[in-house]
C-alpha cells in the first residue's frame, strides 16, 4: 500500500520473461478453480480449510455488535471488541475463517511507511504478534522476524527512504541506509550492480494468516464472544427511528436473525454485497492479485524480505524458496464477484505477471534458473486512493466499514481492528483515522463506478511509485468543475483534484495545461496521450527539492503580500444550518461563541467528545434573505458554514451526526455545487474592490470578521472580510451564474495593481508563513485546541456547553503534554513534513507541515513538541530548548518561534501597512 504520488514514466511494457516462464509449473488449469489438493500447494503454508460445512443450528437472539467476515480484519475487530468489554459480540462467516482473501495473502509486514498513522498501526501489529497473542491464547500467531530491505535504483528513491528512516526515528524504529556493497552483505544473492542504495529494517517480517486468525478468535471467544462459521448473511435489517434516521436493526442469516444495532462489514472484496443489503455504498474495485513460489534456492533461508519499488516487485523468503510478485500497470478487474468463492484462486495470467517476473529476475538473478513450485492468484479489493474503508457509514447509522485493505489486510489487521473497536465503543478511534474514514468520500463521486474503477486501477498501478510531496492522479478527473474552471484553465491553471473537485494548484506562465480523459497509461486498448502537457508539468514536481516552478509559486505569494491576488476557492463546502434549533445546534457543535449579532463571521473548531479537533471552519450569522443561493430564505435566524473543500464531506457528516444524536430540529442546506468563492487578498484588495461596488468597504463600515451582501460590478455577492493568508482581504461568495462576470471584473480592475491568479500551492505557503492551521496536516482529530494554539476559539469563559468542553477543561487544568510550535532553518532546503525534531538532542516530535516562506525567505516547519519525560509542555519548556531538525538524515540547527515570525501583531489583516 505504498501510496502512489508517483513517477508515472516508470510504466513500461513487460519484457520477455524467458527461462522463468518456461520453467513454470502452474497448478491451475481453468480460468477459475476451487480448492483442491492441487490448490493446496498454491499457498506456501497450511490453511484453515475443513471439510465440515455444517451450518449452525441457531444464532444468538441478539448481540451488541455483529462482525461480518472471518478474515484477518473481522477476527481482529472481534478480538479487540471483546478486550474492550463488548463480550456480547458475534462474528458470522459465510464459509470458514480466512476463506476469502486472507488465506492466500503473502503476509508481509514492513515497519516503515510514508504515513505516521500507518507507522503507528504497524507498531501495534508487531507488539500484538510478538508479545501478546501467544502468551494470552497459547496459539503461535506465526510471526517471523527476518528483516526487510527496500531497494533504491535512483537518488530520488533513496531520498524517499531517508525520509522514512527519519520518521522511523521519531517512533523508535531501527533502520539503516546502506550502500550497494553493504546491501550485498546483508543479502548476498541480490544483484546490487544497478542499485543506488537501500534501506534495511531488521525488525520487519511476515505473519502466518492461519495462526494469526486462530489466535485472535481464541482470545475473543475466551472472553465470551462467539464465532459462527458456515453461516452466510442473507439480509441486513434497517429501519427509521422517530427522528427519521436510518439505523441498523438486525442481521439475517441462514440460521436465523440476530437483533443488533451495530454491524461491521469486514468482508473485503465482498463488502459491497453486504453494503447493498443495507443501502450502503462501498466504493472498492476487486482485482486479481498474484505471486508465485519458487523451488528451493541454496542460501536463501533466513535472509530478509525485499521490496524493489522501482521495479514494482516484492520478494518474500519462504523457507528455502522465494514467494515473489508485485504490482503491474494493467491489473485484471474481477467484474462478476462470486459469493461462493471460498479457498479459491484464479489461473495466473502469465502475460500480465511477466511485468513482475522480469524485475524479480533482475534483482535476484538465481531466479532465472529456478523453477516455479506454485502460483497464487486471488482476488483483492482496492480503493480510489489506495486507503482502506473504515468508520460508520453516512447513509445508515450503526453500519460500520472495516474493509478494502488494498492487499495489506494482514499487515494492517491488528491496528485497524483495534481502532475499529475504539470507534464503536468510544465514538471515535484513538488515532487520527481520517485517511481511512469512509466520510472522506463524497457520494457524488464515490457512487460513480467508472470513477471508482479508474482511480482504483491507477492507484494499484502506481502502488510502488515514489511518494513525492506533490502529485495528482490522472484518473477520474474533471468530475466536479466550478463555474470558473474554463476561464482559469485558459489562464494556465495547473489543477489539483480533491473530492472529485478540480481546484487551482498553480498557474503556468506559458499557456494552458488541460487535464485530459484518463488513458490508462496506454493499457486496456486505450491509446496513451502523446505530449501530454499536464502530465509533463506533474513530472516537474517529482522531486524532494524545490520544483522548477518554485519561483512561479513565489511570484503568486509575493504579489499577494505586496499588492493583490485572486484565489478561486469555489470547491469549499457551503452549508446553511437553519431551523428552530439552529442556535442550539451551533452552540453545541462549535467551540466559539455563536451568540454574535447578525453580520458576524466566526472562526471556530468543532470537537469530538475527547476534545480532538474534527474540523475548523468559519460560521457567519445571518437573517433570512432574498432567495438566491448566497442569500436564501428561511424562518428565523440561520448560519452559513464554509468548510475547506477537501474535508467538506467530513464536515457535513460530522454536523449531521451531532444533530441526529442530540435530536436538534434543524436542517443542513448544501449549496456547495451552485455557489463559487473568489478570495481577493493583499494590501490593494480593498482599493480594487471599492472601485467595483457602491458599498462602503472601510474599516468602520466593514470591519474584520463581518459579512454583508453587496454588489460587485452589478452582481449580488456575499462578501466576508476574512483572510487565510494573513493580509487584508475579502472572500466573495457568489452565485454560479455571476461567477465569471465577477472574476473578469476583478481581474480587469486589478490589472493596474499587477493582480495575479493564485493557487493552492501559494495558499499553503502563505497560510503556514502566517501560522494558520490546515486541518488534516498540522491540525487533526488527535489534536486539541489547547495543544494546537487554538484555545482562544473555545468559549470557556461563558457557561454555554459545547461538545468536548469537558475534555478541554480537564486538559487546561492538568496541562498539555504536547504543543504546536514553529521552526525555521537557515539552509535553503525544503521542509516537507516527517522531519525529526530534537530538543537538546532528544526526539520530541516531527514536522507535520513544512513550506518555504517567500516573504520571510526561510523554510518553515510546524510540529508538535512533547516532553520526553511525559511532563507538561509549557512555553517556558519550549523556549529553554536547543533545537535541531533532521531532514533525510541531515541535521540542521533550528530556531523555535512561539508565535509566527510573520506579522506577529496581526496588523496586516486589519489593513495596517504603515510600518512595512
Amino acid at each position: 500500500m505504498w501510496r502512489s504520488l508517483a513517477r508515472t514514466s516508470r510504466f513500461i511494457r513487460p519484457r520477455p520473461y524467458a527461462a522463468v516462464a518456461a520453467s513454470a509449473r502452474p497448478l491451475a488449469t481453468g480460468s477459475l478453480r476451487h480448492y483442491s489438493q492441487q490448490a493446496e500447494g498454491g499457498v506456501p503454508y497450511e490453511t484453515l480449510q475443513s471439510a465440515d460445512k455444517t451450518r449452525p443450528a441457531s444464532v444468538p437472539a441478539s448481540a451488541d455488535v455483529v462482525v461480518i467476515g472471518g478474515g484477518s480484519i473481522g477476527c481482529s475487530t472481534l478480538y479487540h471488541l471483546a478486550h474492550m468489554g463488548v463480550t456480547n459480540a458475534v462474528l458470522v462467516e459465510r464459509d470458514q475463517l480466512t476463506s476469502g482473501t486472507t488465506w492466500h495473502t503473502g503476509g508481509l509486514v514492513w515497519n516503515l511507511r510514508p504515513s505516521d498513522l500507518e507507522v503507528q498501526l504497524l507498531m501495534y501489529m508487531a507488539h500484538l504478534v510478538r508479545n501478546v497473542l501467544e502468551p494470552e491464547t497459547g496459539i503461535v500467531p506465526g510471526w517471523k522476524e527476518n528483516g526487510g530491505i527496500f531497494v533504491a535504483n535512483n537518488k530520488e528513491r533513496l531520498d524517499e527512504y531517508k525520509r522514512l528512516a527519519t520518521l522511523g526515528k521519531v517512533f523508535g524504529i531501527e533502520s539503516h541506509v546502506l550502500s550497494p556493497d553493504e546491501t550485498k552483505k546483508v543479502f548476498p544473492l541480490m544483484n546490487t550492480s544497478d542499485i543506488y542504495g537501500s534501506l534495511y529494517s531488521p525488525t520487519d517480517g511476515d505473519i502466518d494468516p492461519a495462526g494469526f486468525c486462530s489466535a485472535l478468535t481464541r482470545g475473543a471467544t475466551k472472553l465470551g464472544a462467539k464465532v459462527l462459521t458456515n453461516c452466510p448473511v442473507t439480509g441486513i435489517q434497517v429501519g427509521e427511528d422517530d427522528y427519521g434516521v436510518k439505523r441498523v436493526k438486525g442481521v439475517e442469516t441462514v440460521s436465523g436473525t440476530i437483533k443488533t444495532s451495530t454491524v461491521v462489514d469486514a468482508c473485503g472484496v465482498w463488502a459491497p454485497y453486504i453494503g447493498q443489503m443495507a443501502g450502503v455504498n462501498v466504493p472498492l474495485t476487486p482485482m486479481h492479485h498474484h505471486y508465485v513460489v519458487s523451488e528451493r534456492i541454496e542460501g536463501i533461508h533466513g535472509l530478509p524480505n525485499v521490496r524493489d519499488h522501482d521495479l514494482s516487485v516484492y520478494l518474500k523468503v519462504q523457507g528455502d524458496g522465494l514467494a515473489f510478485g508485485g504490482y503491474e500497470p494493467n491489473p485484471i478487474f474481477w467484474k462478476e464477484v462470486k459469493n461462493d468463492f471460498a479457498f479459491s484462486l484464479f489461473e495466473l495470467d502469465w502475460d500480465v505477471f511477466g511485468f513482475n517476473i522480469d524485475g524479480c529476475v533482475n534483482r535476484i538473478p538465481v531466479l532465472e534458473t529456478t523453477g516455479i513450485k506454485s502460483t497464487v492468484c486471488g482476488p483483492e479489493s482496492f480503493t480510489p486512493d489506495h486507503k482502506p474503508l473504515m468508520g460508520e457509514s453516512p447513509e445508515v447509522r450503526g453500519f460500520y466499514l472495516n474493509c478494502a485493505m488494498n492487499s495489506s489486510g494482514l499487515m494492517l489487521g491488528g491496528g485497524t481492528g483495534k481502532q475499529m473497536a475504539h470507534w464503536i465503543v468510544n465514538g471515535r478511534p484513538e488515532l487520527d483515522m481520517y485517511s481511512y474514514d469512509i466520510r472522506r468520500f463524497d457520494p457524488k463521486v464515490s457512487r460513480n463506478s467508472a470513477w471508482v474503477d479508474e482511480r482504483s486501477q491507477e492507484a494499484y498501478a502506481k502502488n510502488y511509485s515514489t511518494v513525492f510531496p506533490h502529485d495528482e492522479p490522472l484518473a477520474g478527473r474533471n468530475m466536479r468543475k466550478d463555474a470558473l474552471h474554463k476561464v482559469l484553465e485558459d489562464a494556465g491553471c495547473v489543477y489539483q483534484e480533491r473530492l472529485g473537485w478540480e481546484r487551482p494548484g498553480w498557474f503556468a506562465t506559458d499557456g494552458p495545461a488541460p487535464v485530459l480523459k484518463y488513458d490508462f497509461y496506454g493499457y486496456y486498448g486505450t491509446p496513451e496521450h502523446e505530449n501530454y502537457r499536464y502530465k509533463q508539468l506533474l513530472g516537474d514536481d517529482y522531486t524532494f527539492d524545490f520544483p522548477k516552478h518554485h519561483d512561479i509559486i513565489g511570484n503568486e505569494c509575493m504579489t499577494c503580500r505586496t499588492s493583490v491576488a485572486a484565489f478561486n476557492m469555489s470547491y469549499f463546502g457551503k452549508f446553511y444550518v437553519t431551523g428552530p434549533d439552529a442556535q442550539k445546534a451551533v452552540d453545541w457543535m462549535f467551540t466559539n461563541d455563536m451568540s454574535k449579532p447578525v453580520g458576524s463571521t466566526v472562526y471556530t473548531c468543532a470537537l469530538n467528545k475527547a476534545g480532538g479537533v474534527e474540523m475548523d471552519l468559519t460560521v457567519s450569522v445571518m437573517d433570512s434573505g432574498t432567495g438566491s443561493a448566497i442569500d436564501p430564505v428561511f424562518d428565523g435566524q440561520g448560519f452559513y458554514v464554509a468548510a475547506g473543500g477537501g474535508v467538506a464531506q467530513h464536515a457535513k457528516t460530522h454536523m449531521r451526526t451531532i444533530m441526529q444524536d442530540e435530536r436538534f430540529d434543524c436542517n443542513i442546506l448544501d449549496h456547495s455545487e451552485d455557489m463559487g468563492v473568489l478570495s481577493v487578498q493583499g494590501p490593494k484588495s480593498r482599493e480594487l474592490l471599492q472601485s467595483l461596488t457602491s458599498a462602503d468597504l472601510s474599516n468602520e463600515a466593514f470591519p474584520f470578521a463581518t459579512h454583508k451582501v453587496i454588489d460587485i460590478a452589478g452582481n449580488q455577492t456575499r462578501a466576508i472580510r476574512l483572510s487565510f493568508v494573513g493580509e487584508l482581504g475579502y472572500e466573495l461568495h457568489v452565485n454560479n451564474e455571476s461567477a465569471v462576470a465577477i472574476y473578469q471584473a476583478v481581474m480587469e480592475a486589478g490589472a493596474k495593481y499587477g493582480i495575479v491568479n493564485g493557487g493552492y500551492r501559494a495558499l499553503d505557503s502563505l497560510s503556514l508563513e502566517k501560522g494558520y492551521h490546515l486541518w488534516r496536516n498540522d491540525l487533526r482529530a488527535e489534536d486539541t485546541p489547547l495543544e494546537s494554539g487554538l484555545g482562544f476559539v473555545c468559549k470557556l469563559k461563558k457557561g454555554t456547553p459545547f461538545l468536548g468542553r469537558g475534555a478541554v477543561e480537564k486538559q487546561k487544568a492538568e496541562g498539555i503534554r504536547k504543543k504546536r510550535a514553529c521552526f525555521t532553518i537557515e539552509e535553503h532546503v525544503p521542509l516537507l513534513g516527517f522531519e525529526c525534531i530534537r530538543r537538546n538532542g532528544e526526539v520530541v516530535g516531527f514536522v507535520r507541515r513544512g513550506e518555504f516562506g517567500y516573504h520571510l525567505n526561510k523554510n518553515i516547519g510546524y510540529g508538535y513538541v512533547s516532553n520526553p519525560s511525559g511532563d507538561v509542555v509549557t512555553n517556558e519548556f519550549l523556549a529553554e530548548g536547543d533545537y535541531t531538525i533532521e531532514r533525510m538524515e541531515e541535521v540542521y540547527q533550528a530556531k523555535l518561534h512561539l508565535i509566527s515570525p510573520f506579522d506577529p501583531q496581526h496588523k496586516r489583516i486589519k489593513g495596517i501597512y504603515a510600518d512595512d
Side-chain angles (χ1 to χ4, degrees):
M1 203 164 75
W2 196 272
R3 183 64 188 103
S4 59
L5 311 179
R7 181 180 299 280
T8 54
S9 61
R10 174 180 60 75
F11 296 132
I12 57 174
R13 301 284 179 178
R15 301 189 298 274
Y17 46 87
V20 175
S23 67
R25 293 185 283 109
L27 300 179
T29 56
S31 61
L32 161 66
R33 60 177 170 77
H34 289 279
Y35 190 90
S36 65
Q37 181 62 36
Q38 195 176 33
E40 189 172 27
V43 295
Y45 34 71
E46 296 295 326
T47 73
L48 295 179
Q49 192 195 17
S50 167
D52 183 8
K53 302 295 181 182
T54 305
R55 291 177 174 174
S58 63
V59 297
S62 64
D64 293 327
V65 181
V66 175
V67 179
I68 306 174
S72 61
I73 303 302
C75 292
S76 178
T77 301
L78 185 75
Y79 171 87
H80 288 95
L81 282 169
H83 275 266
M84 291 192 69
V86 187
T87 54
N88 183 25
V90 178
L91 184 151
V92 291
E93 161 57 45
R94 61 174 183 174
D95 196 271
Q96 291 161 22
L97 297 181
T98 76
S99 63
T101 62
T102 298
W103 77 285
H104 60 71
T105 179
L108 290 163
V109 178
W110 314 90
N111 282 297
L112 296 173
R113 310 280 278 189
S115 159
D116 60 287
L117 166 64
E118 292 178 0
V119 168
Q120 293 175 83
L121 293 176
L122 293 172
M123 286 175 64
Y124 174 73
M125 181 64 166
H127 168 70
L128 185 66
V129 295
R130 282 194 193 110
N131 308 319
V132 177
L133 288 178
E134 185 177 359
E136 177 189 338
T137 68
I139 295 177
V140 178
W143 170 246
K144 182 181 68 176
E145 191 170 298
N146 57 323
I149 299 177
F150 291 164
V151 177
N153 291 266
N154 52 68
K155 179 184 181 299
E156 290 81 6
R157 181 68 78 175
L158 193 61
D159 284 345
E160 178 186 34
Y161 293 162
K162 289 177 180 179
R163 289 188 76 208
L164 298 188
T166 301
L167 179 62
K169 292 175 183 177
V170 176
F171 294 98
I173 297 172
E174 179 186 0
S175 66
H176 308 275
V177 176
L178 305 180
S179 68
D181 289 342
E182 290 169 330
T183 306
K184 185 77 171 180
K185 291 178 181 178
V186 175
F187 201 114
L189 297 180
M190 184 186 298
N191 167 29
T192 59
S193 64
D194 59 346
I195 75 172
Y196 201 85
S198 70
L199 179 64
Y200 173 51
S201 176
T203 55
D204 290 353
D206 53 76
I207 301 174
D208 167 52
F212 180 59
C213 291
S214 296
L216 290 170
T217 51
R218 171 73 64 85
T221 55
K222 283 176 65 177
L223 294 172
K226 295 179 177 62
V227 175
L228 303 176
T229 57
N230 300 311
C231 188
V233 171
T234 57
I236 306 292
Q237 295 180 350
V238 175
E240 288 190 4
D241 62 18
D242 57 1
Y243 193 67
V245 178
K246 291 182 178 180
R247 296 184 182 273
V248 169
K249 299 296 184 181
V251 175
E252 299 169 355
T253 78
V254 294
S255 299
T257 298
I258 308 171
K259 294 298 181 182
T260 187
S261 61
T262 306
V263 166
V264 180
D265 184 352
C267 295
V269 166
W270 297 271
Y273 172 72
I274 299 298
Q276 286 176 352
M277 294 180 180
V280 170
N281 179 47
V282 183
L284 63 79
T285 298
M287 298 182 191
H288 293 203
H289 191 54
H290 44 228
Y291 65 90
V292 301
V293 184
S294 79
E295 300 282 7
R296 184 177 185 276
I297 299 173
E298 185 68 31
I300 200 74
H301 184 78
L303 293 181
N305 301 320
V306 176
R307 264 183 170 176
D308 189 323
H309 294 101
D310 294 307
L311 296 180
S312 198
V313 298
Y314 66 83
L315 303 106
K316 171 191 171 186
V317 175
Q318 187 69 47
D320 289 325
L322 276 176
F324 57 95
Y327 290 83
E328 66 283 356
N330 55 336
I332 298 171
F333 292 84
W334 192 24
K335 280 300 185 182
E336 297 182 5
V337 176
K338 301 182 184 301
N339 288 324
D340 60 349
F341 194 90
F343 290 109
S344 301
L345 297 172
F346 307 109
E347 181 178 6
L348 182 69
D349 187 318
W350 288 96
D351 289 332
V352 175
F353 190 65
F355 179 86
N356 305 124
I357 286 185
D358 197 45
C360 292
V361 171
N362 176 66
R363 190 53 57 226
I364 311 295
V366 68
L367 284 175
E368 189 166 10
T369 56
T370 302
I372 301 299
K373 181 162 58 177
S374 59
T375 67
V376 180
C377 183
E380 292 282 1
S381 53
F382 297 89
T383 61
D385 58 2
H386 218 66
K387 298 292 184 185
L389 305 176
M390 294 183 65
E392 188 177 30
S393 161
E395 296 143 313
V396 177
R397 299 296 303 274
F399 191 99
Y400 287 82
L401 297 172
N402 195 5
C403 58
M405 295 291 150
N406 299 274
S407 195
S408 294
L410 197 60
M411 187 185 324
L412 296 173
T416 56
K418 182 183 182 185
Q419 296 305 314
M420 187 82 265
H422 278 270
W423 220 320
I424 293 169
V425 174
N426 297 326
R428 64 173 301 274
E430 291 178 298
L431 302 175
D432 171 48
M433 300 295 290
Y434 174 79
S435 60
Y436 289 14
D437 193 335
I438 183 61
R439 296 180 297 174
R440 69 191 187 270
F441 290 118
D442 191 308
K444 293 181 178 67
V445 291
S446 64
R447 286 188 175 275
N448 185 310
S449 60
W451 181 84
V452 173
D453 285 350
E454 279 190 16
R455 290 290 293 269
S456 298
Q457 180 273 337
E458 184 182 34
Y460 178 103
K462 295 172 66 176
N463 181 38
Y464 276 2
S465 297
T466 306
V467 182
F468 291 110
H470 300 286
D471 189 24
E472 298 296 325
L474 297 176
R477 298 296 296 268
N478 293 322
M479 288 288 293
R480 304 171 81 182
K481 297 186 289 188
D482 62 73
L484 296 179
H485 181 274
K486 184 62 169 65
V487 68
L488 295 185
E489 180 181 82
D490 292 344
C493 183
V494 181
Y495 276 99
Q496 301 174 336
E497 187 272 349
R498 300 293 184 272
L499 275 183
W501 282 105
E502 298 292 321
R503 75 173 194 184
W506 58 282
F507 284 80
T509 57
D510 54 350
V515 178
L516 304 180
K517 183 178 176 60
Y518 185 47
D519 62 6
F520 291 92
Y521 297 95
Y523 288 93
Y524 308 108
T526 305
E528 188 171 11
H529 296 307
E530 296 182 1
N531 301 316
Y532 187 2
R533 175 166 161 75
Y534 179 80
K535 183 177 177 181
Q536 292 166 354
L537 290 177
L538 287 187
D540 291 341
D541 265 322
Y542 296 158
T543 177
F544 293 105
D545 204 336
F546 296 109
K548 293 180 180 179
H549 39 272
H550 177 70
D551 291 339
I552 296 177
I553 296 170
N555 182 61
E556 296 176 17
C557 291
M558 290 306 295
T559 304
C560 179
R561 291 276 185 243
T562 59
S563 184
V564 63
F567 300 92
N568 179 22
M569 303 169 68
S570 296
Y571 92 122
F572 260 45
K574 312 166 199 76
F575 312 111
Y576 293 97
V577 177
T578 65
D581 288 343
Q583 185 69 56
K584 290 181 182 178
V586 297
D587 284 343
W588 178 249
M589 288 190 296
F590 302 130
T591 61
N592 213 333
D593 182 8
M594 293 292 120
S595 60
K596 298 289 182 69
V598 171
S600 301
T601 295
V602 180
Y603 170 67
T604 184
C605 293
L607 310 183
N608 51 51
K609 67 180 182 181
V613 180
E614 290 286 345
M615 54 189 174
D616 70 324
L617 36 71
T618 60
V619 182
S620 298
V621 187
M622 56 190 298
D623 277 333
S624 180
T626 58
S628 67
I630 64 166
D631 197 27
V633 174
F634 50 83
D635 292 332
Q637 188 170 293
F639 301 86
Y640 174 49
V641 178
V647 295
Q649 179 64 19
H650 173 82
K652 178 182 177 181
T653 307
H654 183 76
M655 291 190 294
R656 186 172 60 197
T657 298
I658 293 173
M659 291 176 184
Q660 293 171 355
D661 289 346
E662 300 298 322
R663 306 178 75 79
F664 290 128
D665 184 8
C666 55
N667 302 301
I668 299 176
L669 307 177
D670 188 348
H671 281 275
S672 301
E673 301 280 353
D674 52 4
M675 289 173 59
V677 180
L678 181 66
S679 184
V680 182
Q681 300 287 324
K684 300 298 183 181
S685 60
R686 177 160 47 205
E687 188 176 338
L688 185 161
L689 291 176
Q690 191 65 78
S691 70
L692 298 173
T693 182
S694 59
D696 185 353
L697 301 184
S698 66
N699 277 326
E700 296 73 22
F702 200 162
F704 183 74
T706 63
H707 67 96
K708 61 176 65 176
V709 176
I710 65 174
D711 69 286
I712 294 289
N715 296 279
Q716 187 187 49
T717 304
R718 182 171 299 280
I720 306 179
R721 188 171 164 195
L722 286 175
S723 177
F724 189 56
V725 300
E727 301 293 338
L728 171 67
Y730 304 80
E731 290 180 2
L732 307 180
H733 295 242
V734 303
N735 295 306
N736 280 349
E737 296 77 13
S738 58
V740 171
I742 291 173
Y743 167 79
Q744 290 175 337
V746 167
M747 298 306 288
E748 289 173 8
K752 70 177 183 177
Y753 305 105
I755 191 172
V756 298
N757 288 301
Y760 271 81
R761 295 285 285 277
L763 279 173
D764 288 344
S765 169
L766 291 163
S767 68
L768 196 70
E769 189 171 49
K770 176 57 182 166
Y772 290 155
H773 299 71
L774 183 61
W775 197 81
R776 280 295 306 122
N777 290 79
D778 45 353
L779 183 63
R780 305 195 299 208
E782 61 186 1
D783 308 318
T784 70
L786 300 181
E787 294 166 346
S788 56
L790 291 174
F792 68 93
V793 303
C794 295
K795 50 188 175 236
L796 297 180
K797 293 183 179 180
K798 295 193 65 173
T800 308
F802 60 87
L803 180 61
R805 176 169 183 148
V808 174
E809 289 177 329
K810 183 174 185 290
Q811 189 179 60
K812 185 174 183 179
E814 296 177 351
I816 58 177
R817 263 61 182 180
K818 68 177 184 182
K819 187 174 178 63
R820 183 175 182 255
C822 173
F823 299 91
T824 57
I825 61 174
E826 295 298 324
E827 291 79 4
H828 191 62
V829 293
L831 298 178
L832 305 170
F834 296 161
E835 292 85 3
C836 178
I837 303 170
R838 289 186 177 87
R839 177 186 181 274
N840 298 340
E842 292 186 274
V843 174
V844 292
F846 65 96
V847 173
R848 288 272 195 91
R849 184 156 73 106
E851 294 285 348
F852 185 77
Y854 291 90
H855 185 274
L856 295 174
N857 196 31
K858 291 182 186 295
N859 290 284
I860 309 167
Y862 274 83
Y864 287 78
V865 174
S866 300
N867 191 326
S869 69
D871 291 340
V872 170
V873 175
T874 63
N875 283 346
E876 291 73 23
F877 170 83
L878 292 175
E880 291 168 358
D882 179 70
Y883 293 90
T884 60
I885 287 180
E886 181 178 335
R887 174 192 183 273
M888 296 182 185
E889 301 212 310
E890 296 290 334
V891 178
Y892 303 93
Q893 194 68 34
K895 182 177 180 180
L896 173 110
H897 306 269
L898 294 177
I899 59 175
S900 168
F902 174 81
D903 188 25
Q905 295 179 321
H906 310 297
K907 292 183 177 180
R908 297 169 76 99
I909 60 173
K910 301 172 186 175
I912 302 173
Y913 290 91
D915 297 334
D916 284 5

